[in-house]
Every structure is written in structure tokens, then in C-alpha cells.
Amino acid sequence: RERRGRARREFMREEAKRTTGVLLCVGYYCLFRALFVLSVSLLFFPVAATGEGACAPAHAAISAPETTAPDPATRFVDISAPIKQGAHADPPMCAPNVSYVNHSAPPPPELAALFPGLRLEDLPGGDLWALERVEMCTHSGTHVDAPWHYSATMADGSKPMTIDEVPLDWFHGRGVKLDFRDVPDGHVVTADEIRAKLREIGHALSPGEVVLMNTAAGAARGSADYVRRGCGFGRDATLFLTGEGVRLVGTDAWSWDAPFVHVGRMYEETGDASIVWEGHKAGRERPYAQIEKLANLDELPSVGFDVAAFPVTVEGGSGGWTRAVAILDR
């Protein structure tokens, strides 16, 4: 009986050892499997340690590419006048001459040489391309004047910038519109008058802002007397603006200066040559650029918008055409 008892106790100890061994093996297996799964998860799906989005994959923190879709709350205002035949926006020396070639025009000889035997009716739709031939100067239509337009030398003897040399950041900035529609045609606006308009809208100018002048000429766009309408901006008005850090100004009149027909009469009365193109010539002291023949300025608020008016690059040019746009704040 004692031997049987010892044998039973020995058997129980051996069973306990075997059971413990099995349980340890199962435990180690489960532990190693969990660690393996966790390692693979961290390798392929790393997580942020703390903060918002701690459970999100790390690649979610990478900035999404900017979309080209416009914000539906953003409003764009075209402040450029179209280039068209007979627009009455320029004197004869700069009036655009636009000729149109439509889709049904005979194929040019160059095309026939490239595609021998090609007939118009063989093409999809049975027609070719449309194109336009335009003859005009760099100051036709809505355009930007470069400092080179005003003079061959700056006041310090240096060479003024041509349109391809003007820094690009001059052509984009926060906009300010001043309303001079109540001012008579031919009037030369002074610095004090600009200060008064700024007080009316409660705005102080900042460097880099784009100042647009809404004159009586805007309502006359398209009429035969457009080039005679609106006020102009004199030397001290221009120097006041550039002294505040403004590098781009604009007007819906034909010129930044008062219309020539009015300045001509003043010159005839006074013989003072300093009044001829005085706003432009102020750029010899502090260079600036100006947009002329803008449109739709009456649709803009006094502040609360951006202006973009990048000119076409004409190498060595005194100006370049622009599709000026105002982008209103949301």
C-alpha cells in the first residue's frame, strides 16, 4: 500500500510537470504571436504617440495636395477691359486691330505641306482651328506701365526697370479702392485729397497694397469720349502713395495722369511743362507700376479684396497687357 501511494504521488508530480510545461509552451506561443502581430502593425501602420489623431496612420499627417477647385465662397471680379475692334479705348496710334480666322477657312499652305491631300471635310467636325491676328501697342487695352515707360533715366541717373525686370510681387497684393467719381474730368488729384478719401473709408495704407482709383471714366468705357473722361493723379499724389510703400496703382481712366486734352489747355494757359505727365514722371524719383484702363471698379468694396495683375512679359518693354482680377474676401 505504501509503494502504491508513493507511485501515485510520483505520477501526480510528473503529470503536474507535463501540464505546467504544456501551459508554458502555450503561453509563450501566444505571447510571441501577439508581439509579432504588434510589430508588423507598427511597421506598416505607425501611429502618432500623443495628441489629436493619435490613432491615425502617420501618412495622414502629410499635407494634402492643393486643389485647383475654387472655393465656392470666393468671388472673382474681372477688372480688365476686353481687347476688341472699335472699343474707343485708345487713340489711333494704339487702337487694336483684330482680324479673325474662323474654323472654315481654307487650310494654310504649311498644313498642306505637312499633310498632303488633307481635306477640310476629312477632319472631325469638318473644320479646322480658329485664331486671331492682333496688331496693337503694349499700352493698348488694360495694361501695366513699367518705370521704363516714364523716362530713360531715374532721377539718380540709373536705368529704370522694363516690364520684364519689375519684381513679380509688385503685381499682387491687398487692394484698396478710392472713389473719385465725383471729381470733375481733367481735375488733378492731390495728396491731401487722397488722404481725405482714406479717412472717409477709415483705412491707413500699408506697404505692398494695390491702390485702385474709380473715376468718372469708368462709366464712359466704350464711348467715343472715354479718353477725355476722368480725373488724373498728380506728382505729389503719386509720391504720397509711393512714400507709403505702394508699388502698384491703377485707374479705370485712359491714363494715370489727367486726360491730355485737359492738361493741354492748362499748359497753354501757364506754359508750365512740369504739369505734362507729372504723375508718370514722379516715378523717376520712386519707381512704381500702374495699371491703366481698368474696368468694373464700381463692383469692388473699398477694402477687403486682393488684386492680381501680372503683365505679359515683353522683353525690354515699357509695358505689358494684363488680365487684372480682384479676389474678394469670403
Side-chain angles (χ1 to χ4, degrees):
R1 188 182 301 114
E2 186 178 347
R3 284 197 301 271
R4 285 198 298 270
R6 283 198 301 269
R8 191 180 323 60
R9 287 193 295 273
E10 186 68 26
F11 174 77
M12 294 298 293
R13 282 197 295 269
E14 292 298 324
E15 283 297 309
K17 289 180 182 179
R18 282 195 294 270
T19 302
T20 301
V22 170
L23 290 174
L24 285 172
C25 288
V26 172
Y28 285 132
Y29 170 78
C30 293
L31 177 61
F32 288 137
R33 181 180 176 86
L35 290 173
F36 174 76
V37 172
L38 180 61
S39 300
V40 171
S41 299
L42 289 173
L43 179 63
F44 290 99
F45 304 101
V47 297
T50 59
E52 185 179 356
C55 294
H59 63 263
I62 300 174
S63 300
E66 293 185 6
T67 177
T68 56
D71 186 330
T74 301
R75 182 183 170 211
F76 294 84
V77 179
D78 188 352
I79 54 174
S80 306
I83 293 171
K84 63 179 183 179
Q85 198 81 11
H88 302 297
D90 292 288
M93 65 178 179
C94 278
N97 182 23
V98 185
S99 59
Y100 296 81
V101 178
N102 63 30
H103 304 84
S104 60
E110 296 85 356
L111 192 66
L114 289 170
F115 303 98
L118 177 68
R119 299 176 304 170
L120 204 60
E121 56 268 26
D122 296 333
L123 295 170
D127 55 14
L128 204 54
W129 50 64
L131 59 84
E132 296 71 48
R133 299 183 186 278
V134 182
E135 181 182 2
M136 61 183 184
C137 74
T138 51
H139 300 269
S140 302
T142 306
H143 67 279
V144 179
D145 285 353
W148 177 250
H149 182 51
Y150 317 146
S151 181
T153 57
M154 299 294 290
D156 61 3
S158 63
K159 175 186 173 296
M161 290 180 289
T162 55
I163 197 65
D164 51 322
E165 296 171 333
V166 180
L168 283 176
D169 59 2
W170 282 26
F171 304 116
H172 176 262
R174 296 294 289 167
V176 179
K177 185 195 79 170
L178 300 180
D179 192 344
F180 286 96
R181 288 177 291 179
D182 58 338
V183 173
D185 294 340
H187 176 74
V188 179
V189 174
T190 65
D192 285 341
E193 289 173 300
I194 291 180
R195 291 188 186 97
K197 291 291 185 180
L198 288 168
R199 285 194 296 270
E200 285 180 15
I201 65 172
H203 183 77
L205 291 176
S206 298
E209 287 185 320
V210 180
V211 181
L212 307 180
M213 308 301 193
N214 190 185
T215 75
R221 185 167 59 89
S223 66
D225 66 340
Y226 170 73
V227 298
R228 298 189 291 272
R229 296 296 306 278
C231 59
F233 301 88
R235 178 179 180 277
D236 74 326
T238 304
L239 290 177
F240 165 71
L241 292 170
T242 57
E244 294 294 312
V246 173
R247 289 292 175 260
L248 180 64
V249 298
T251 178
D252 53 10
W254 181 74
S255 172
W256 177 249
D257 277 279
F260 282 165
V261 63
H262 302 286
V263 178
R265 281 199 291 266
M266 289 188 283
Y267 174 72
E268 188 176 2
E269 293 170 2
T270 65
D272 183 4
S274 68
I275 67 172
V276 179
W277 233 32
E278 60 175 292
H280 282 73
K281 289 291 188 180
R284 297 186 69 244
E285 298 181 41
R286 279 195 291 266
Y288 73 105
Q290 58 181 245
I291 320 166
E292 294 175 327
K293 289 176 276 190
L294 289 165
N296 305 319
L297 296 188
D298 57 315
E299 297 184 23
L300 302 183
S302 298
V303 293
F305 61 95
D306 280 2
V307 176
F310 296 98
V312 173
T313 302
V314 178
E315 186 176 2
S318 62
W321 313 278
T322 182
R323 179 73 178 271
V325 176
I327 305 131
L328 275 60
D329 293 350
R330 295 173 57 179

PDB file of all heavy atoms in Angstrom, residues 277-306:
ATOM      1  N   TRP A 277       2.331 115.145 -67.810  1.00  0.00           N
ATOM      2  CA  TRP A 277       2.647 113.767 -67.392  1.00  0.00           C
ATOM      3  C   TRP A 277       3.288 113.749 -66.014  1.00  0.00           C
ATOM      4  O   TRP A 277       4.150 112.933 -65.724  1.00  0.00           O
ATOM      5  CB  TRP A 277       3.571 113.124 -68.434  1.00  0.00           C
ATOM      6  CG  TRP A 277       3.089 111.818 -68.950  1.00  0.00           C
ATOM      7  CD1 TRP A 277       1.815 111.403 -69.114  1.00  0.00           C
ATOM      8  CD2 TRP A 277       3.919 110.729 -69.382  1.00  0.00           C
ATOM      9  NE1 TRP A 277       1.772 110.134 -69.620  1.00  0.00           N
ATOM     10  CE2 TRP A 277       3.064 109.702 -69.806  1.00  0.00           C
ATOM     11  CE3 TRP A 277       5.296 110.537 -69.462  1.00  0.00           C
ATOM     12  CZ2 TRP A 277       3.534 108.497 -70.292  1.00  0.00           C
ATOM     13  CZ3 TRP A 277       5.758 109.342 -69.945  1.00  0.00           C
ATOM     14  CH2 TRP A 277       4.896 108.324 -70.364  1.00  0.00           C
ATOM     15  N   GLU A 278       2.842 114.643 -65.139  1.00  0.00           N
ATOM     16  CA  GLU A 278       3.512 114.802 -63.852  1.00  0.00           C
ATOM     17  C   GLU A 278       3.370 113.578 -62.955  1.00  0.00           C
ATOM     18  O   GLU A 278       4.289 113.238 -62.190  1.00  0.00           O
ATOM     19  CB  GLU A 278       3.003 116.047 -63.119  1.00  0.00           C
ATOM     20  CG  GLU A 278       1.511 116.048 -62.811  1.00  0.00           C
ATOM     21  CD  GLU A 278       1.113 117.266 -61.986  1.00  0.00           C
ATOM     22  OE1 GLU A 278       1.530 117.333 -60.811  1.00  0.00           O
ATOM     23  OE2 GLU A 278       0.391 118.131 -62.519  1.00  0.00           O
ATOM     24  N   GLY A 279       2.249 112.880 -63.025  1.00  0.00           N
ATOM     25  CA  GLY A 279       2.085 111.667 -62.230  1.00  0.00           C
ATOM     26  C   GLY A 279       3.023 110.560 -62.680  1.00  0.00           C
ATOM     27  O   GLY A 279       3.648 109.876 -61.866  1.00  0.00           O
ATOM     28  N   HIS A 280       3.121 110.384 -63.987  1.00  0.00           N
ATOM     29  CA  HIS A 280       4.057 109.398 -64.525  1.00  0.00           C
ATOM     30  C   HIS A 280       5.498 109.764 -64.141  1.00  0.00           C
ATOM     31  O   HIS A 280       6.265 108.926 -63.654  1.00  0.00           O
ATOM     32  CB  HIS A 280       3.960 109.337 -66.051  1.00  0.00           C
ATOM     33  CG  HIS A 280       2.799 108.567 -66.585  1.00  0.00           C
ATOM     34  ND1 HIS A 280       1.515 109.034 -66.544  1.00  0.00           N
ATOM     35  CD2 HIS A 280       2.748 107.345 -67.186  1.00  0.00           C
ATOM     36  CE1 HIS A 280       0.708 108.153 -67.104  1.00  0.00           C
ATOM     37  NE2 HIS A 280       1.426 107.108 -67.503  1.00  0.00           N
ATOM     38  N   LYS A 281       5.862 111.020 -64.387  1.00  0.00           N
ATOM     39  CA  LYS A 281       7.250 111.438 -64.171  1.00  0.00           C
ATOM     40  C   LYS A 281       7.674 111.343 -62.700  1.00  0.00           C
ATOM     41  O   LYS A 281       8.874 111.276 -62.403  1.00  0.00           O
ATOM     42  CB  LYS A 281       7.448 112.863 -64.685  1.00  0.00           C
ATOM     43  CG  LYS A 281       7.423 113.000 -66.204  1.00  0.00           C
ATOM     44  CD  LYS A 281       8.650 112.349 -66.827  1.00  0.00           C
ATOM     45  CE  LYS A 281       8.741 112.641 -68.324  1.00  0.00           C
ATOM     46  NZ  LYS A 281       9.937 112.010 -68.936  1.00  0.00           N
ATOM     47  N   ALA A 282       6.698 111.321 -61.784  1.00  0.00           N
ATOM     48  CA  ALA A 282       7.042 111.150 -60.370  1.00  0.00           C
ATOM     49  C   ALA A 282       7.725 109.807 -60.132  1.00  0.00           C
ATOM     50  O   ALA A 282       8.455 109.641 -59.150  1.00  0.00           O
ATOM     51  CB  ALA A 282       5.785 111.256 -59.514  1.00  0.00           C
ATOM     52  N   GLY A 283       7.526 108.872 -61.059  1.00  0.00           N
ATOM     53  CA  GLY A 283       8.175 107.579 -60.949  1.00  0.00           C
ATOM     54  C   GLY A 283       9.676 107.628 -61.153  1.00  0.00           C
ATOM     55  O   GLY A 283      10.371 106.647 -60.865  1.00  0.00           O
ATOM     56  N   ARG A 284      10.207 108.747 -61.618  1.00  0.00           N
ATOM     57  CA  ARG A 284      11.657 108.896 -61.720  1.00  0.00           C
ATOM     58  C   ARG A 284      12.297 109.007 -60.341  1.00  0.00           C
ATOM     59  O   ARG A 284      13.468 108.694 -60.166  1.00  0.00           O
ATOM     60  CB  ARG A 284      12.014 110.133 -62.551  1.00  0.00           C
ATOM     61  CG  ARG A 284      11.560 110.085 -64.002  1.00  0.00           C
ATOM     62  CD  ARG A 284      12.071 111.272 -64.798  1.00  0.00           C
ATOM     63  NE  ARG A 284      13.520 111.206 -64.993  1.00  0.00           N
ATOM     64  CZ  ARG A 284      14.395 112.083 -64.498  1.00  0.00           C
ATOM     65  NH1 ARG A 284      13.964 113.104 -63.766  1.00  0.00           N
ATOM     66  NH2 ARG A 284      15.682 111.958 -64.738  1.00  0.00           N
ATOM     67  N   GLU A 285      11.527 109.486 -59.370  1.00  0.00           N
ATOM     68  CA  GLU A 285      12.057 109.642 -58.012  1.00  0.00           C
ATOM     69  C   GLU A 285      11.881 108.368 -57.192  1.00  0.00           C
ATOM     70  O   GLU A 285      12.784 107.956 -56.466  1.00  0.00           O
ATOM     71  CB  GLU A 285      11.370 110.825 -57.332  1.00  0.00           C
ATOM     72  CG  GLU A 285      11.636 112.143 -58.038  1.00  0.00           C
ATOM     73  CD  GLU A 285      10.971 113.315 -57.352  1.00  0.00           C
ATOM     74  OE1 GLU A 285      10.983 113.365 -56.096  1.00  0.00           O
ATOM     75  OE2 GLU A 285      10.424 114.184 -58.055  1.00  0.00           O
ATOM     76  N   ARG A 286      10.703 107.765 -57.276  1.00  0.00           N
ATOM     77  CA  ARG A 286      10.458 106.480 -56.621  1.00  0.00           C
ATOM     78  C   ARG A 286       9.725 105.600 -57.623  1.00  0.00           C
ATOM     79  O   ARG A 286       8.584 105.908 -57.991  1.00  0.00           O
ATOM     80  CB  ARG A 286       9.623 106.656 -55.345  1.00  0.00           C
ATOM     81  CG  ARG A 286      10.430 107.081 -54.147  1.00  0.00           C
ATOM     82  CD  ARG A 286       9.649 106.893 -52.853  1.00  0.00           C
ATOM     83  NE  ARG A 286       8.533 107.819 -52.751  1.00  0.00           N
ATOM     84  CZ  ARG A 286       8.594 108.996 -52.126  1.00  0.00           C
ATOM     85  NH1 ARG A 286       9.726 109.396 -51.583  1.00  0.00           N
ATOM     86  NH2 ARG A 286       7.539 109.763 -52.054  1.00  0.00           N
ATOM     87  N   PRO A 287      10.358 104.519 -58.086  1.00  0.00           N
ATOM     88  CA  PRO A 287       9.744 103.714 -59.135  1.00  0.00           C
ATOM     89  C   PRO A 287       8.454 103.039 -58.663  1.00  0.00           C
ATOM     90  O   PRO A 287       8.330 102.634 -57.513  1.00  0.00           O
ATOM     91  CB  PRO A 287      10.823 102.675 -59.456  1.00  0.00           C
ATOM     92  CG  PRO A 287      11.644 102.586 -58.216  1.00  0.00           C
ATOM     93  CD  PRO A 287      11.655 103.963 -57.633  1.00  0.00           C
ATOM     94  N   TYR A 288       7.508 102.963 -59.568  1.00  0.00           N
ATOM     95  CA  TYR A 288       6.255 102.275 -59.296  1.00  0.00           C
ATOM     96  C   TYR A 288       5.695 101.793 -60.619  1.00  0.00           C
ATOM     97  O   TYR A 288       6.179 102.158 -61.699  1.00  0.00           O
ATOM     98  CB  TYR A 288       5.258 103.195 -58.578  1.00  0.00           C
ATOM     99  CG  TYR A 288       4.639 104.266 -59.469  1.00  0.00           C
ATOM    100  CD1 TYR A 288       3.326 104.144 -59.921  1.00  0.00           C
ATOM    101  CD2 TYR A 288       5.357 105.402 -59.848  1.00  0.00           C
ATOM    102  CE1 TYR A 288       2.755 105.117 -60.730  1.00  0.00           C
ATOM    103  CE2 TYR A 288       4.805 106.370 -60.653  1.00  0.00           C
ATOM    104  CZ  TYR A 288       3.490 106.232 -61.090  1.00  0.00           C
ATOM    105  OH  TYR A 288       2.932 107.188 -61.902  1.00  0.00           O
ATOM    106  N   ALA A 289       4.680 100.963 -60.563  1.00  0.00           N
ATOM    107  CA  ALA A 289       3.993 100.488 -61.774  1.00  0.00           C
ATOM    108  C   ALA A 289       2.526 100.868 -61.662  1.00  0.00           C
ATOM    109  O   ALA A 289       2.000 101.033 -60.558  1.00  0.00           O
ATOM    110  CB  ALA A 289       4.156  98.976 -61.930  1.00  0.00           C
ATOM    111  N   GLN A 290       1.885 101.003 -62.791  1.00  0.00           N
ATOM    112  CA  GLN A 290       0.485 101.411 -62.772  1.00  0.00           C
ATOM    113  C   GLN A 290      -0.322 100.620 -63.794  1.00  0.00           C
ATOM    114  O   GLN A 290       0.182 100.264 -64.867  1.00  0.00           O
ATOM    115  CB  GLN A 290       0.359 102.898 -63.056  1.00  0.00           C
ATOM    116  CG  GLN A 290       0.963 103.293 -64.388  1.00  0.00           C
ATOM    117  CD  GLN A 290       0.855 104.772 -64.667  1.00  0.00           C
ATOM    118  OE1 GLN A 290       0.171 105.180 -65.593  1.00  0.00           O
ATOM    119  NE2 GLN A 290       1.534 105.576 -63.888  1.00  0.00           N
ATOM    120  N   ILE A 291      -1.554 100.324 -63.427  1.00  0.00           N
ATOM    121  CA  ILE A 291      -2.484  99.665 -64.344  1.00  0.00           C
ATOM    122  C   ILE A 291      -3.422 100.730 -64.884  1.00  0.00           C
ATOM    123  O   ILE A 291      -4.026 101.490 -64.113  1.00  0.00           O
ATOM    124  CB  ILE A 291      -3.326  98.582 -63.631  1.00  0.00           C
ATOM    125  CG1 ILE A 291      -2.481  97.799 -62.634  1.00  0.00           C
ATOM    126  CG2 ILE A 291      -3.965  97.638 -64.647  1.00  0.00           C
ATOM    127  CD1 ILE A 291      -3.308  96.961 -61.674  1.00  0.00           C
ATOM    128  N   GLU A 292      -3.550 100.788 -66.180  1.00  0.00           N
ATOM    129  CA  GLU A 292      -4.457 101.761 -66.811  1.00  0.00           C
ATOM    130  C   GLU A 292      -5.572 101.045 -67.560  1.00  0.00           C
ATOM    131  O   GLU A 292      -5.424  99.909 -67.990  1.00  0.00           O
ATOM    132  CB  GLU A 292      -3.672 102.665 -67.759  1.00  0.00           C
ATOM    133  CG  GLU A 292      -2.684 103.561 -67.021  1.00  0.00           C
ATOM    134  CD  GLU A 292      -1.809 104.393 -67.949  1.00  0.00           C
ATOM    135  OE1 GLU A 292      -1.483 103.915 -69.052  1.00  0.00           O
ATOM    136  OE2 GLU A 292      -1.436 105.506 -67.560  1.00  0.00           O
ATOM    137  N   LYS A 293      -6.707 101.742 -67.654  1.00  0.00           N
ATOM    138  CA  LYS A 293      -7.902 101.254 -68.364  1.00  0.00           C
ATOM    139  C   LYS A 293      -8.505 100.015 -67.693  1.00  0.00           C
ATOM    140  O   LYS A 293      -8.838  99.030 -68.354  1.00  0.00           O
ATOM    141  CB  LYS A 293      -7.586 101.003 -69.845  1.00  0.00           C
ATOM    142  CG  LYS A 293      -7.387 102.302 -70.616  1.00  0.00           C
ATOM    143  CD  LYS A 293      -6.978 102.068 -72.045  1.00  0.00           C
ATOM    144  CE  LYS A 293      -5.500 101.867 -72.170  1.00  0.00           C
ATOM    145  NZ  LYS A 293      -5.001 101.859 -73.560  1.00  0.00           N
ATOM    146  N   LEU A 294      -8.621 100.088 -66.383  1.00  0.00           N
ATOM    147  CA  LEU A 294      -9.308  99.038 -65.647  1.00  0.00           C
ATOM    148  C   LEU A 294     -10.815  99.134 -65.875  1.00  0.00           C
ATOM    149  O   LEU A 294     -11.310 100.105 -66.459  1.00  0.00           O
ATOM    150  CB  LEU A 294      -8.997  99.155 -64.148  1.00  0.00           C
ATOM    151  CG  LEU A 294      -7.574  98.775 -63.731  1.00  0.00           C
ATOM    152  CD1 LEU A 294      -7.275  99.279 -62.329  1.00  0.00           C
ATOM    153  CD2 LEU A 294      -7.377  97.271 -63.815  1.00  0.00           C
ATOM    154  N   ALA A 295     -11.546  98.146 -65.419  1.00  0.00           N
ATOM    155  CA  ALA A 295     -12.996  98.109 -65.600  1.00  0.00           C
ATOM    156  C   ALA A 295     -13.656  97.572 -64.334  1.00  0.00           C
ATOM    157  O   ALA A 295     -13.017  96.917 -63.504  1.00  0.00           O
ATOM    158  CB  ALA A 295     -13.355  97.229 -66.793  1.00  0.00           C
ATOM    159  N   ASN A 296     -14.930  97.864 -64.188  1.00  0.00           N
ATOM    160  CA  ASN A 296     -15.782  97.282 -63.138  1.00  0.00           C
ATOM    161  C   ASN A 296     -15.317  97.612 -61.718  1.00  0.00           C
ATOM    162  O   ASN A 296     -15.625  96.871 -60.776  1.00  0.00           O
ATOM    163  CB  ASN A 296     -15.872  95.754 -63.297  1.00  0.00           C
ATOM    164  CG  ASN A 296     -16.352  95.342 -64.671  1.00  0.00           C
ATOM    165  OD1 ASN A 296     -17.259  95.963 -65.231  1.00  0.00           O
ATOM    166  ND2 ASN A 296     -15.749  94.313 -65.227  1.00  0.00           N
ATOM    167  N   LEU A 297     -14.613  98.725 -61.543  1.00  0.00           N
ATOM    168  CA  LEU A 297     -14.174  99.084 -60.195  1.00  0.00           C
ATOM    169  C   LEU A 297     -15.348  99.447 -59.302  1.00  0.00           C
ATOM    170  O   LEU A 297     -15.238  99.375 -58.064  1.00  0.00           O
ATOM    171  CB  LEU A 297     -13.172 100.239 -60.249  1.00  0.00           C
ATOM    172  CG  LEU A 297     -11.845  99.957 -60.968  1.00  0.00           C
ATOM    173  CD1 LEU A 297     -10.879 101.124 -60.769  1.00  0.00           C
ATOM    174  CD2 LEU A 297     -11.201  98.663 -60.477  1.00  0.00           C
ATOM    175  N   ASP A 298     -16.485  99.822 -59.894  1.00  0.00           N
ATOM    176  CA  ASP A 298     -17.659 100.140 -59.089  1.00  0.00           C
ATOM    177  C   ASP A 298     -18.219  98.908 -58.374  1.00  0.00           C
ATOM    178  O   ASP A 298     -19.017  99.033 -57.449  1.00  0.00           O
ATOM    179  CB  ASP A 298     -18.747 100.770 -59.968  1.00  0.00           C
ATOM    180  CG  ASP A 298     -19.141  99.880 -61.139  1.00  0.00           C
ATOM    181  OD1 ASP A 298     -18.239  99.331 -61.801  1.00  0.00           O
ATOM    182  OD2 ASP A 298     -20.345  99.723 -61.386  1.00  0.00           O
ATOM    183  N   GLU A 299     -17.810  97.713 -58.790  1.00  0.00           N
ATOM    184  CA  GLU A 299     -18.275  96.480 -58.151  1.00  0.00           C
ATOM    185  C   GLU A 299     -17.451  96.103 -56.932  1.00  0.00           C
ATOM    186  O   GLU A 299     -17.793  95.146 -56.223  1.00  0.00           O
ATOM    187  CB  GLU A 299     -18.246  95.318 -59.153  1.00  0.00           C
ATOM    188  CG  GLU A 299     -19.174  95.489 -60.341  1.00  0.00           C
ATOM    189  CD  GLU A 299     -19.163  94.272 -61.241  1.00  0.00           C
ATOM    190  OE1 GLU A 299     -18.810  93.171 -60.757  1.00  0.00           O
ATOM    191  OE2 GLU A 299     -19.503  94.419 -62.423  1.00  0.00           O
ATOM    192  N   LEU A 300     -16.370  96.832 -56.667  1.00  0.00           N
ATOM    193  CA  LEU A 300     -15.475  96.476 -55.571  1.00  0.00           C
ATOM    194  C   LEU A 300     -15.798  97.271 -54.306  1.00  0.00           C
ATOM    195  O   LEU A 300     -16.201  98.435 -54.390  1.00  0.00           O
ATOM    196  CB  LEU A 300     -14.021  96.747 -55.964  1.00  0.00           C
ATOM    197  CG  LEU A 300     -13.482  96.045 -57.210  1.00  0.00           C
ATOM    198  CD1 LEU A 300     -12.016  96.386 -57.394  1.00  0.00           C
ATOM    199  CD2 LEU A 300     -13.687  94.547 -57.131  1.00  0.00           C
ATOM    200  N   PRO A 301     -15.600  96.658 -53.145  1.00  0.00           N
ATOM    201  CA  PRO A 301     -15.674  97.427 -51.904  1.00  0.00           C
ATOM    202  C   PRO A 301     -14.431  98.299 -51.758  1.00  0.00           C
ATOM    203  O   PRO A 301     -13.491  98.187 -52.551  1.00  0.00           O
ATOM    204  CB  PRO A 301     -15.719  96.331 -50.831  1.00  0.00           C
ATOM    205  CG  PRO A 301     -14.962  95.194 -51.445  1.00  0.00           C
ATOM    206  CD  PRO A 301     -15.262  95.240 -52.916  1.00  0.00           C
ATOM    207  N   SER A 302     -14.411  99.132 -50.747  1.00  0.00           N
ATOM    208  CA  SER A 302     -13.247  99.988 -50.533  1.00  0.00           C
ATOM    209  C   SER A 302     -12.031  99.175 -50.108  1.00  0.00           C
ATOM    210  O   SER A 302     -10.896  99.474 -50.510  1.00  0.00           O
ATOM    211  CB  SER A 302     -13.557 101.049 -49.478  1.00  0.00           C
ATOM    212  OG  SER A 302     -14.602 101.890 -49.919  1.00  0.00           O
ATOM    213  N   VAL A 303     -12.251  98.165 -49.281  1.00  0.00           N
ATOM    214  CA  VAL A 303     -11.190  97.257 -48.834  1.00  0.00           C
ATOM    215  C   VAL A 303     -11.782  95.858 -48.766  1.00  0.00           C
ATOM    216  O   VAL A 303     -12.971  95.666 -48.993  1.00  0.00           O
ATOM    217  CB  VAL A 303     -10.618  97.671 -47.452  1.00  0.00           C
ATOM    218  CG1 VAL A 303      -9.874  98.995 -47.547  1.00  0.00           C
ATOM    219  CG2 VAL A 303     -11.724  97.750 -46.403  1.00  0.00           C
ATOM    220  N   GLY A 304     -10.923  94.864 -48.467  1.00  0.00           N
ATOM    221  CA  GLY A 304     -11.429  93.502 -48.325  1.00  0.00           C
ATOM    222  C   GLY A 304     -11.303  92.674 -49.589  1.00  0.00           C
ATOM    223  O   GLY A 304     -12.162  91.835 -49.869  1.00  0.00           O
ATOM    224  N   PHE A 305     -10.226  92.870 -50.335  1.00  0.00           N
ATOM    225  CA  PHE A 305     -10.010  92.088 -51.552  1.00  0.00           C
ATOM    226  C   PHE A 305      -8.526  92.095 -51.893  1.00  0.00           C
ATOM    227  O   PHE A 305      -7.760  92.940 -51.433  1.00  0.00           O
ATOM    228  CB  PHE A 305     -10.834  92.638 -52.720  1.00  0.00           C
ATOM    229  CG  PHE A 305     -10.512  94.062 -53.118  1.00  0.00           C
ATOM    230  CD1 PHE A 305      -9.617  94.339 -54.152  1.00  0.00           C
ATOM    231  CD2 PHE A 305     -11.105  95.133 -52.463  1.00  0.00           C
ATOM    232  CE1 PHE A 305      -9.323  95.639 -54.517  1.00  0.00           C
ATOM    233  CE2 PHE A 305     -10.810  96.446 -52.819  1.00  0.00           C
ATOM    234  CZ  PHE A 305      -9.923  96.702 -53.841  1.00  0.00           C
ATOM    235  N   ASP A 306      -8.151  91.131 -52.701  1.00  0.00           N
ATOM    236  CA  ASP A 306      -6.803  91.067 -53.269  1.00  0.00           C
ATOM    237  C   ASP A 306      -6.849  91.513 -54.715  1.00  0.00           C
ATOM    238  O   ASP A 306      -7.895  91.418 -55.382  1.00  0.00           O
ATOM    239  CB  ASP A 306      -6.246  89.641 -53.215  1.00  0.00           C
ATOM    240  CG  ASP A 306      -5.706  89.277 -51.849  1.00  0.00           C
ATOM    241  OD1 ASP A 306      -5.803  90.111 -50.935  1.00  0.00           O
ATOM    242  OD2 ASP A 306      -5.200  88.149 -51.689  1.00  0.00           O
TER     243      ASP A 306
END
